[in-house]
Amino acid sequence: MNFQFAIPTPQGPSKIEVAAGSSVIFVGANGGGKTRLAVYIENALELTAHRISAHRALGLNPEVPKISERLALLGLRTGSATENAQKRHREGSRWGGRMATSLLNDFEFLIQALFAEQSNKSLETHLRVRSGDYRPAEPTKFERLAKIWERLLPHRQLHISGDNIEVSISGSSGRYNASEMSDGERAIFYMIGQALVATNDSLLIVDEPELHVHRSIMSKLWDELESARQDCAFVFITHDLGLVARFANKVG
């Protein structure tokens, strides 16, 4: 699937096309209108696009109230975890009426979606085995997230139960709550989770992906996400010229 949108320029609209499984990057100085460009693309593609703001809260609370997977995903995409949530709710509920400047605070919905998917898939596997079908269980999104996170941070290990997330230092028996992760550990967790729960065949727009993430990990992180979500495409918007080399053949 290809994603198409046109962005305004002094010479008129410029058409951009991004194929599923690939990325495009926009680079600009601070104050150059990068975030408003992200908003423009998000609005143009409606719910086909999912935008991760540069102004994002990264408080990770594994003890969030557990809700249904459907409502958690609606909350993540529209900001409203209600059955009637639609695209029109996104500007007010998700962005507080300030799409370019509001602090995005959706980590709770992300955690709820991951716990709910784990619960549903575990029950599905349980019922299948009880019926005599012993095919290997499919990995949950939490399991996929943990494997990617641990490949990027091999000195840490995630321990995910039915209702909690803990972390340990590799080789140590001691554990600490996921809420005590470093900014970088939480940012990487958040990015992986956002990609894994994204709607099939969608465009993920990431404003300033480099926040809290060391440059030595950035290339590996986006390789992992592109590999994990080959049905999706990515738009990265940054002011960091150091990232351009990684996307040298994908600059829009």
Side-chain angles (χ1 to χ4, degrees), residues 154-159 167-176:
H155 57 293
R156 293 288 188 271
Q157 185 175 0
L158 285 174
H159 304 272
V167 188
S168 67
I169 299 173
S170 298
S172 169
S173 59
R175 298 183 181 184
Y176 57 91

Side-chain angles (χ1 to χ4, degrees), residues 2-7 13-19 24 26 37 41 235 250-252:
N2 288 359
F3 301 86
Q4 299 178 343
F5 52 91
I7 59 174
S14 177
K15 294 182 179 180
I16 304 292
E17 183 170 338
V18 194
V24 63
F26 294 92
L37 171 61
I41 298 170
V235 169
K250 301 179 182 180
V251 175

Side-chain angles (χ1 to χ4, degrees), residues 90-141:
R90 184 167 65 181
E91 180 175 355
S93 298
R94 189 166 195 251
W95 300 113
R98 297 177 289 115
M99 296 188 73
T101 59
S102 178
L103 178 70
L104 178 60
N105 190 2
D106 63 351
F107 215 148
E108 182 168 305
F109 285 133
L110 174 61
I111 296 299
Q112 289 172 323
L114 288 165
F115 271 123
E117 191 269 347
Q118 174 177 258
S119 177
N120 289 334
K121 184 157 286 187
S122 298
L123 178 59
E124 178 186 324
T125 300
H126 171 77
L127 294 175
R128 181 163 54 76
V129 171
R130 292 271 291 179
S131 71
D133 184 346
Y134 299 105
R135 287 175 297 165
E138 295 182 5
T140 66
K141 290 177 181 176

Side-chain angles (χ1 to χ4, degrees), residues 10-178:
Q11 294 73 39
S14 177
K15 294 182 179 180
I16 304 292
E17 183 170 338
V18 194
S22 65
S23 308
V24 63
I25 184 168
F26 294 92
V27 184
N30 290 332
K34 299 187 302 301
T35 295
R36 297 190 185 279
L37 171 61
V39 172
Y40 183 89
I41 298 170
E42 178 187 29
N43 286 332
L45 294 180
E46 300 186 337
L47 286 182
T48 304
H50 182 66
R51 177 167 65 96
I52 300 171
S53 173
H55 308 291
R56 48 186 178 263
L58 292 175
L60 197 170
N61 176 20
E63 297 182 0
V64 293
K66 307 307 185 282
I67 64 175
S68 75
E69 185 176 5
R70 169 177 164 74
L71 291 183
L73 291 174
L74 281 171
L76 190 65
R77 286 157 192 156
T78 69
S80 176
T82 58
E83 290 290 349
N84 64 347
Q86 301 174 25
K87 181 259 179 184
R88 62 187 174 84
H89 294 101
R90 184 167 65 181
E91 180 175 355
S93 298
R94 189 166 195 251
W95 300 113
R98 297 177 289 115
M99 296 188 73
T101 59
S102 178
L103 178 70
L104 178 60
N105 190 2
D106 63 351
F107 215 148
E108 182 168 305
F109 285 133
L110 174 61
I111 296 299
Q112 289 172 323
L114 288 165
F115 271 123
E117 191 269 347
Q118 174 177 258
S119 177
N120 289 334
K121 184 157 286 187
S122 298
L123 178 59
E124 178 186 324
T125 300
H126 171 77
L127 294 175
R128 181 163 54 76
V129 171
R130 292 271 291 179
S131 71
D133 184 346
Y134 299 105
R135 287 175 297 165
E138 295 182 5
T140 66
K141 290 177 181 176
F142 253 147
E143 288 176 314
R144 296 173 64 195
L145 185 156
K147 286 185 179 297
I148 295 172
W149 192 86
E150 289 167 8
R151 282 197 293 268
L152 296 170
L153 301 167
H155 57 293
R156 293 288 188 271
Q157 185 175 0
L158 285 174
H159 304 272
I160 300 169
S161 67
D163 58 6
N164 198 18
I165 308 169
E166 294 181 312
V167 188
S168 67
I169 299 173
S170 298
S172 169
S173 59
R175 298 183 181 184
Y176 57 91
N177 193 279

